[in-house]
Amino acid sequence: MQQSVRLTLLKQVRYAESTASGAPEREQINEISDADALALLADLYDEEYVRPIPGPRDRGPWEWDMLAVLKTHLLETPADATTPEQAEELKAKLLTVLQAATATLTKTTEPSVRTVGRQVQPKRQPKSKRK
């Protein structure tokens, strides 16, 4: 979720900068498509290694975060100009997102079962039968 917020803020900053500098709309790059982000992911890893990320309705939170990391990078640096050091940093960020996803998936606990209605107090034993 943090990555999505960062991406949204970066988009707003880029839009404000391009508007303030008076750049024509056709030269402004304020939005990156999912296809561009997935193409960068395929470039970072082997084509066969990359599991296709499902459509927007079927994505998990970690997949949204991964796309946000890739889109943030593409807003700052074109895919062609990505250096090997930047590629390693991107892989580290993506690995962090995946590790966080596995940590949240393994932390699931049994839901606590609450009784419905009033709780019944146990009956008190008569004084003669108490120990």
Side-chain angles (χ1 to χ4, degrees):
M1 188 59 82
Q2 187 179 30
Q3 301 299 331
S4 299
V5 171
R6 183 175 291 148
L7 175 63
T8 303
L9 290 173
L10 182 62
K11 284 181 186 177
Q12 291 175 352
V13 168
R14 291 291 302 248
Y15 179 75
E17 285 176 347
S18 59
T19 304
S21 67
E25 253 187 66
R26 66 181 178 275
E27 293 179 9
Q28 297 178 8
I29 300 175
N30 299 324
E31 198 67 37
I32 302 294
S33 69
D34 289 350
D36 292 338
L38 292 174
L40 177 62
L41 184 64
D43 287 344
L44 288 174
Y45 298 99
D46 294 335
E47 293 275 343
E48 296 104 27
Y49 179 73
V50 176
R51 179 184 146 256
I53 292 182
R57 288 186 169 188
D58 301 326
R59 290 183 186 149
W62 61 91
E63 292 164 330
W64 285 107
D65 283 344
M66 288 175 63
L67 284 175
V69 167
L70 294 166
K71 286 180 176 184
T72 301
H73 173 75
L74 288 173
L75 277 175
E76 295 170 344
T77 309
D80 298 339
T82 301
T83 64
E85 294 82 20
Q86 289 173 328
E88 289 303 316
E89 287 178 20
L90 266 175
K91 287 180 181 180
K93 286 180 184 177
L94 293 173
L95 183 63
T96 303
V97 169
L98 290 174
Q99 287 173 339
T102 58
T104 56
L105 290 176
T106 56
K107 279 188 182 178
T108 56
T109 59
E110 293 292 322
S112 61
V113 178
R114 291 187 58 193
T115 58
V116 179
R118 294 181 62 198
Q119 287 186 344
V120 179
Q121 286 284 1
K123 299 249 180 196
R124 191 167 180 178
Q125 296 224 348
K127 217 174 197 182
S128 61
K129 293 186 178 181
R130 290 186 207 162
K131 293 183 182 179

